[in-house]
């Protein structure tokens, strides 16, 4: 029995890239830190919210490369001589990866009360109707 994939299905032409995206998504290896929400804010916009308590704007980096949104956090080392009796606030670096569909762009990001909000927007797709001329086999 052969395995049917998106790239080999006879009616799905050119979807090999989608299959690669699904594989990359499965390998992203996101752990549970930091926790996040994804909400749909309108028909064509979304908001990713990460709980980044203890991080400043300078400790965070947001990049987009090859339709992949990457959010990294790295806190600077605390050089003071603090003595903790209990340390329950995580002070560790993180990396969160989100794959974005074609046409989805990052509209902006903001910090508010220990939450990082990343807003995404999907562009209105352009509707194209194309008529294909059929050539006669005699004109070769």
């Amino acid at each position: 029995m052969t395995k049917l994939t998106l790239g080999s299905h006879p009616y799905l032409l050119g979807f090999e890239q989608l299959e690669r995206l699904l594989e990359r998504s499965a390998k992203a290896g996101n752990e549970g830190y930091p926790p996040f929400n994804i909400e749909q804010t309108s028909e064509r916009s979304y908001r990713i919210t990460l709980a980044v308590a203890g991080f400043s704007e300078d400790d965070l980096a947001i990049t987009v490369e090859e339709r992949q949104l990457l959010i990294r956090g790295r806190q600077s080392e605390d050089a003071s001589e603090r003595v903790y009796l209990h340390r329950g606030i995580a002070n560790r670096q993180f990396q969160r990866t989100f794959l974005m569909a074609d046409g989805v762009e990052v509209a902006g990001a903001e910090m508010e009360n220990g939450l990082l909000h990343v807003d995404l927007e999907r562009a209105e797709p352009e509707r194209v109707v194309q008529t294909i001329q059929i050539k006669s086999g005699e004109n070769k």
Side-chain angles (χ1 to χ4, degrees):
M1 177 183 262
T2 60
K3 179 182 172 186
L4 191 61
T5 63
L6 287 175
S8 66
H9 193 280
Y11 300 119
L12 299 174
L13 304 175
F15 282 89
E16 297 84 6
Q17 181 181 358
L18 179 59
E19 191 167 13
R20 285 191 298 270
L21 281 173
L22 290 171
E23 288 173 6
R24 262 186 18 203
S25 170
K27 293 177 185 176
N30 283 330
E31 58 181 53
Y33 179 77
F36 67 94
N37 293 335
I38 300 175
E39 62 184 299
Q40 186 167 3
T41 54
S42 76
E43 187 176 318
R44 300 208 161 274
S45 62
Y46 310 91
R47 174 173 267 191
I48 300 171
T49 301
L50 285 85
V52 291
F55 287 85
S56 71
E57 289 91 344
D58 294 334
D59 297 332
L60 301 168
I62 303 171
T63 58
V64 176
E65 184 177 343
E66 295 182 14
R67 312 302 319 148
Q68 191 167 335
L69 171 63
L70 184 61
I71 303 172
R72 290 187 177 110
R74 178 183 297 241
Q75 290 178 316
S76 55
E77 293 297 320
D78 190 5
S80 68
E81 297 293 325
R82 293 183 179 179
V83 177
Y84 290 96
L85 299 179
H86 172 76
R87 190 165 187 177
I89 300 173
N91 184 13
R92 59 181 174 173
Q93 65 185 18
F94 70 86
Q95 177 173 307
R96 276 276 182 201
T97 304
F98 302 91
L99 296 177
M100 300 186 308
D102 288 338
V104 175
E105 301 292 332
V106 176
E110 66 176 316
M111 286 279 289
E112 176 185 35
N113 300 324
L115 299 174
L116 173 65
H117 302 290
V118 180
D119 293 313
L120 308 172
E121 291 182 354
R122 178 187 298 269
E124 181 73 36
E126 185 177 316
R127 297 180 188 230
V128 177
V129 176
Q130 186 178 9
T131 302
I132 309 300
Q133 295 294 324
I134 301 172
K135 295 181 183 178
S136 169
E138 299 170 5
N139 295 337
K140 285 187 175 182

